[in-house]
Amino acid sequence: QSCLPGMFCVEPGLSAPTGLCSGGYYCSGGSAEANASACDSRLVCNGSACGSCGGVCPVGSFCPAGSSEPTACGAGQYCGIAGLAQASGPCDAGYFCGSTGGWTARPDGGVFGFGRCPAGRYCPAGTVVPVACPRGTYSSTVGNRNLSDCVACPAGFYCPDEGM
């Protein structure tokens, strides 16, 4: 039988797979190399047209050793280059990464769920949902990083709501 997903088999007729697919790569089944650069032709080829048995982990995802498919980078994290075995790190303070599959530490807001922290909120590193400035404070700037970026309402005004 062809090699199992997440594994590679360097030659036919083995009693067990040779090993785990390498970190930064995924082996979807039938891989003859740790980086899925060669496949078992019995599984993925039909005449001269060959399909894929895996490959390099794409941007926005990571692949620990033994992966059978890419794992989307988690919310609050980003995966900035192809071939990662783990997430690059948290999204930078002042930004939010509210969905999976992030690819930059400082998203520009061009994709829904990712962007600069909006006015009236602050975003520490790894923010999934921007945090509202508390009652009695406000912030009119974007890209706030800390609670201290929310300032007290000036004399003669009041701020009755969160997120002002």
Side-chain angles (χ1 to χ4, degrees):
Q1 79 184 39
S2 289
C3 209
L4 301 170
M7 311 290 276
F8 72 99
C9 301
V10 294
E11 55 190 55
L14 297 172
S15 60
T18 304
L20 294 174
C21 190
S22 294
Y25 297 88
Y26 67 98
C27 299
S28 54
S31 180
E33 299 288 338
N35 63 2
S37 61
C39 305
D40 175 355
S41 62
R42 296 172 299 164
L43 175 69
V44 295
C45 293
N46 180 5
S48 62
C50 291
S52 172
C53 58
V56 66
C57 210
V59 171
S61 64
F62 65 98
C63 299
S67 292
S68 60
E69 62 186 2
T71 300
C73 221
Q77 303 282 313
Y78 76 101
C79 296
I81 59 172
L84 293 174
Q86 62 186 20
S88 299
C91 290
D92 284 353
Y95 296 83
F96 67 98
C97 295
S99 190
T100 60
W103 63 93
T104 179
R106 296 180 174 193
D108 64 9
V111 174
F112 180 77
F114 297 88
R116 292 217 33 168
C117 201
R121 311 211 173 248
Y122 64 97
C123 299
T127 294
V128 175
V129 177
V131 182
C133 288
R135 287 183 181 94
T137 67
Y138 78 102
S139 175
S140 59
T141 61
V142 297
N144 297 313
R145 303 161 60 98
N146 303 300
L147 174 59
S148 61
D149 294 325
C150 301
V151 296
C153 287
F157 293 87
Y158 72 102
C159 301
D161 300 319
E162 290 182 344
M164 293 187 75

